[in-house]
Amino acid sequence: MSIHIRRPVISLVAALTAAASLAACGGNDDSNDGGSGSAKVTAACKLDNPPKSGAAAPTDLDLGKASGKVGVILPDTTSSTRYELYDKPLLAKALKDAGVQADIQNAQGSVQKFASIAQNMIGDGVDVLIIDSIDAASGASVEKQAAAAGIKVIDYDRVNLGGSAPYYVSFDNEDVGKLQAQTMLDCLEQQDVSNPKVIIMNGGTDVDNNAVLFSKGAHTVLDPLKKDGKVDVVGEQTVLGWKNENAPQPFAQTLTSADGVVEGVVAANDGIANAIIGGPLTDNGLAGHVVITGQDASVEGLQNVITGKQSMTIFKDVKLEAQAAAQLAIALIQGKDPASVGLTLSDFSDPKDPNHKIQALLLPAQVITQANVKDVVDAGALTQEELCKGIEDACAELGLS
Ligand code: BGC
């Protein structure tokens, strides 16, 4: 997996443009003239050549139709808006297109509810269960019950380590973390910020292996630079359970211990970024003056990018993820080996259990900055109206109107 790491040294024209835009943006937040080192940074970032994912693009397969029943369980509606905005409708469409009957439910963050939905679906005789679990232990327990009833399980987006599902469909999550950290550095470099002070806000590493992988990817980029004294990681925190409301307090604490100076924040997703922007960054006059990452291309995240409060988001085209899961489900219903019908799966190791063999399909993700917000619209994820509702002027300034 290769990520394009370094940008050529910033040109004089680019430096002058950056300086001009800094001057222009400097007035955005009048409360920030307290001499903080962050006053010179602007969150707005227009990378015309952002880092790219190393994961392979998916192949367009048409596996025809299958008859059968598929149950889908999504984890919650609050750690990210993606589940209601993207996963639910796109899975419904992909499964309908596949000809199967779909029952898609959301566990609303409750492991008890997750288990009871699963029991009902198993009792209802679904052929395949597609699960995006709240945590690995409860996911693994559903997998066991499904296996006992002869039902195949696909781990969707989040893998259940220590579980038994043989299939996993997701994005290249380690790559996502690399893209977040690298884009943060590139946005800072574009503004000539050297030796940036950085805070890492991890997602729910206590519940979700994806959060662990995002963090691992970010560290792969940042650790060597930290060692060479080129990046100063002033703190790292976990947003327990991916709950957005758990983000502001540990961030504020870290900011205080760093004397109120931060130039870059690796925030694991848009919800966390938004909680930090609207909370401690605003409280400290730093909103719009810190390069801050995100993930999920949520409406709120994209709007924060457009209005210059958030520097980037990661667009994971859930349509592709839903289609891949639906294709895999069809193959399993038809009793076919997924590889034999053209689904390219690779081995994914389970560090909790070397005997747990997992075949994974990992999709590429894309970096979105102010320079390419339109890509999300072009991919059909959102309409321009949805994206620009309430921020029409900011959209027009970016040519989105
Ligand atoms: C997903 C992210 C999401 C996060 C919080 C992760 O497993 O991959 O897209 O933002 O969970 O729900």
Side-chain angles (χ1 to χ4, degrees):
M1 173 192 320
S2 70
I3 286 205
H4 154 140
I5 300 267
R6 280 280 119 199
R7 244 356 37 93
V9 176
I10 191 164
S11 72
L12 183 60
V13 176
L16 290 174
T17 317
S21 81
L22 288 182
C25 292
N28 272 355
D29 191 343
D30 30 301
S31 55
N32 184 38
D33 353 273
S36 139
S38 307
K40 63 186 165 89
V41 176
T42 179
C45 180
K46 291 190 176 74
L47 286 180
D48 45 18
N49 184 21
K52 303 253 180 319
S53 174
T59 27
D60 208 3
L61 293 179
D62 181 8
L63 298 189
K65 297 196 184 234
S67 60
K69 235 192 261 178
V70 174
V72 181
I73 318 177
L74 298 169
D76 66 67
T77 56
T78 52
S79 67
S80 169
T81 56
R82 63 168 282 175
Y83 303 110
E84 293 295 299
L85 180 67
Y86 296 133
D87 296 276
K88 190 176 165 191
L90 292 169
L91 280 159
K93 176 162 190 330
L95 290 165
K96 185 165 176 253
D97 290 350
V100 296
Q101 199 187 323
D103 179 7
I104 305 177
Q105 300 200 39
N106 191 304
Q108 310 283 351
S110 155
V111 289
Q112 288 80 15
K113 185 158 186 201
F114 195 94
S116 71
I117 294 172
Q119 262 160 26
N120 288 337
M121 288 178 172
I122 292 169
D124 199 29
V126 294
D127 299 286
V128 175
L129 260 185
I130 297 178
I131 61 170
D132 192 348
S133 63
I134 296 170
D135 62 35
S138 55
S141 128
V142 164
E143 290 171 356
K144 225 175 169 176
Q145 291 171 43
I151 295 166
K152 306 255 173 24
V153 179
I154 300 172
D155 278 351
Y156 176 81
D157 203 70
R158 298 178 175 177
V159 71
N160 292 300
L161 297 182
S164 54
Y167 298 107
Y168 174 39
V169 173
S170 191
F171 290 84
D172 186 331
N173 295 305
E174 200 173 322
D175 223 15
V176 167
K178 288 186 192 172
L179 294 171
Q180 290 173 321
Q182 189 57 52
T183 306
M184 177 194 70
L185 294 175
D186 289 357
C187 293
L188 286 164
E189 185 179 305
Q190 203 178 40
Q191 303 178 39
D192 273 344
V193 178
S194 50
N195 304 324
K197 292 191 185 303
V198 166
I199 297 178
I200 302 174
M201 294 300 290
N202 292 318
T205 52
D206 55 328
V207 290
D208 175 14
N209 189 58
N210 283 351
V212 174
L213 295 173
F214 302 147
S215 178
K216 187 173 173 206
H219 277 281
T220 305
V221 172
L222 295 174
D223 289 358
L225 297 168
K226 182 177 160 192
K227 197 162 154 261
D228 291 349
K230 293 186 178 141
V231 168
D232 183 3
V233 178
V234 297
E236 174 164 10
Q237 299 280 356
T238 294
V239 178
L240 291 170
W242 272 117
K243 293 194 165 79
N244 294 177
E245 67 269 26
N246 290 341
Q249 200 265 340
F251 182 87
Q253 212 174 1
T254 309
L255 186 60
T256 304
S257 65
D259 296 327
V261 183
V262 63
E263 281 136 348
V265 179
V266 180
N269 75 0
D270 289 347
I272 292 172
N274 193 56
I276 293 170
I277 294 165
L281 288 183
T282 296
D283 296 346
N284 289 281
L286 291 173
H289 297 291
V290 171
V291 169
I292 177 164
T293 68
Q295 166 172 205
D296 285 344
S298 66
V299 173
E300 127 207 298
L302 287 163
Q303 291 204 339
N304 282 339
V305 168
I306 294 167
T307 55
K309 292 186 209 130
Q310 186 175 321
S311 311
M312 62 86 82
T313 185
I314 295 280
F315 175 44
K316 299 190 295 190
D317 193 343
V318 176
K319 183 175 70 192
L320 303 177
E321 192 178 23
Q323 278 169 355
Q327 287 169 341
L328 188 50
I330 302 184
L332 298 178
I333 290 173
Q334 294 174 338
K336 291 184 184 148
D337 173 8
S340 73
V341 292
L343 280 161
T344 316
L345 304 173
S346 50
D347 291 340
F348 186 91
S349 61
D350 182 344
K352 291 246 159 66
D353 178 3
N355 296 320
H356 181 197
K357 300 269 175 272
I358 308 174
Q359 291 283 295
L361 196 154
L362 302 180
L363 298 159
Q366 188 189 347
V367 169
I368 300 292
T369 68
Q370 282 195 345
N372 65 340
V373 188
K374 202 168 169 294
D375 287 3
V376 179
V377 174
D378 292 345
L382 290 171
T383 65
Q384 190 149 299
E385 289 67 44
E386 287 165 326
L387 188 59
C388 293
K389 192 156 183 248
I391 56 159
E392 286 79 6
D393 290 352
C395 269
E397 266 178 52
L398 291 182
L400 289 163
S401 56

